[in-house]
Amino acid sequence: MAVRYWTALFLVLPCLFTFSTASAGDADPSYRSCVSECEVSGCVGQECFPQCNSSSSGAPWYIQEPLYLQWKKGGCQGDCRYQCMVNRERERETLGQSPIKYHGKWPFKRVLGIQEPASVVFSVLNLAMHFHGWLSFFITLYYKLPLKQDRTAYYEYVGLWHIYGLLSMNSWFWSAVFHSRDVDLTERLDYSSAVAVLGFSLILAILRTFDVRVEAARVMVSAPILAFVTTHILYINFYKLDYGWNMIVCVAMGVSQLLLWARWAAVSSHPSNWKLWVVVIAGGLAMLLEIYDFPPYEGYFDAHSIWHAATIPLTVLWWSFIRDDAEFRTSSLLKKSKTKAK
């Protein structure tokens, strides 16, 4: 953000989002009764779900439904909960009552079986912007800037940014999958990928802001953080998905990066410092969307999905800074080499 850089700041929020899965809607007696009856009968009113009475899940693979149809249907429990939620919200609307959350989520309208279509679209766009930024960074390094005689870049942090780009794209991919279908597996993959990019971003923030270029020093800085992040990911996947502890870890890594980048932006003479400040300030304002949570407009656009949309232009600006940094460092190193040659 602060840039840790935007992704660190913005990937803290997915760690916080969905912190509590118990909501007012789940405790509603009418909703609970509807779900219980549906799981037995397979119907909610005139809407019936064949999978509730199907035993095909244990059948041979060649007579089971295609995976994309299984994904769209989402299982008996998921469809029962969704239809009961829709019916209950219609009843509440006729009574003039505001929407409430069910199982930690607002009542979204599904599109082609996708649970949160707006968040999915914006996650995919974030992924696309990271891919574009990473590709433009690669082109700048190897086709626009001077290279060494061995055809390697002068910029000392090129490998780190490549890894960052890949981890960020992986994180937004699983964000899109998770918002498409919220199940235990997709939740763990989303959380794990967010923690991974946060941890690596912290390493990158330390190395860049303190200008660590010696390989041995880089290893000394990276090893403890990598060990901690790996242990944490194993913990939430194979021992306990502790939302409270995961929140503490995400916030600690995110705030640390914020402070590191803010300090560096304040004391350095980098020509693109203004881009860092724009990302920091805009990122802080975007966080208000998560604090001021509100129901989805027309069943699609809630605060979280709009936050996803807000990160798209910040991603473009962040990769622009990374390219500027590569150009700035390359120019500085070439000037030094020419001075020594004289």
Side-chain angles (χ1 to χ4, degrees), residues 313-327:
L314 295 179
T315 300
V316 176
L317 187 62
W318 176 242
W319 276 104
S320 174
F321 165 76
I322 297 171
R323 293 193 300 272
D324 291 348
D325 189 49
E327 294 173 0

Side-chain angles (χ1 to χ4, degrees), residues 105 132 134 145 159 165 184 210 247 337:
K105 292 180 177 292
H132 177 270
W134 172 69
L145 295 177
D184 183 66
F210 288 99
M247 177 183 69
S337 63

Side-chain angles (χ1 to χ4, degrees), residues 64-85:
Q64 293 186 25
E65 289 183 320
L67 287 176
Y68 75 92
L69 286 179
Q70 295 180 35
W71 176 269
K72 181 178 177 180
K73 289 182 177 179
C76 176
Q77 185 185 66
D79 283 338
C80 285
R81 285 181 174 182
Y82 176 71
Q83 196 59 46
C84 288
M85 176 194 72

